[in-house]
Amino acid sequence: MQVNGNIERRQGRRVPNGTVIPAIGIESFGNYKLFYAKENPSAGIDVLRSGMEEAHDRGYLAHNLAFLLRDEKRYPEAIEALTVFLTEHPAPHLAPTLYQERSRMYAAIGQAEKADADKKQFAVAFQKQFGHPPGPQDM
């Protein structure tokens, strides 16, 4: 738990039918659902946003935030977070999937030109990673 800018260990509390999520963002690759509380999805979103403000490396926090926002269908915010990850954190092994995901979100909000641009980025990143262009099964 963070108290007055310091991290302290404290006894947790049990809450009936509650979900426990981290109180601070984790600057490491992991499962974004760790920050998802079905009772209040904004809680995890707020933790990740707060973490991004203080992080040395915002990349994985932005990645987790993007997917939480996507699951909540908050596509413009998710696109913004995914863009932070793609521009600040080089991860060629994730790039094809992330461009594909961002393309889907652009399409969902009616931004066809940006969706098409990300489809092209996906194809380039896929080619770099796998040594051949994506086939229909990869789209």
Side-chain angles (χ1 to χ4, degrees), residues 22 62 71 76 104 127:
D71 289 356
R104 290 180 186 139
Q127 172 89 30

Side-chain angles (χ1 to χ4, degrees), residues 9-68:
R9 289 180 174 226
R10 291 193 177 174
Q11 179 77 25
R13 290 184 290 166
R14 290 190 73 130
V15 179
N17 300 318
T19 302
V20 176
I21 63 169
I24 58 173
I26 301 169
E27 294 180 47
S28 176
F29 189 74
N31 186 342
Y32 73 95
K33 291 185 179 184
L34 180 67
F35 293 93
Y36 179 71
K38 65 182 175 184
E39 305 83 11
N40 183 7
S42 291
I45 291 167
D46 291 345
V47 166
L48 291 168
R49 281 197 171 128
S50 174
M52 284 179 63
E53 291 173 11
E54 300 178 24
H56 297 289
D57 180 358
R58 302 181 327 156
Y60 289 123
L61 294 166
H63 179 272
N64 289 337
L65 178 61
F67 284 92
L68 276 181

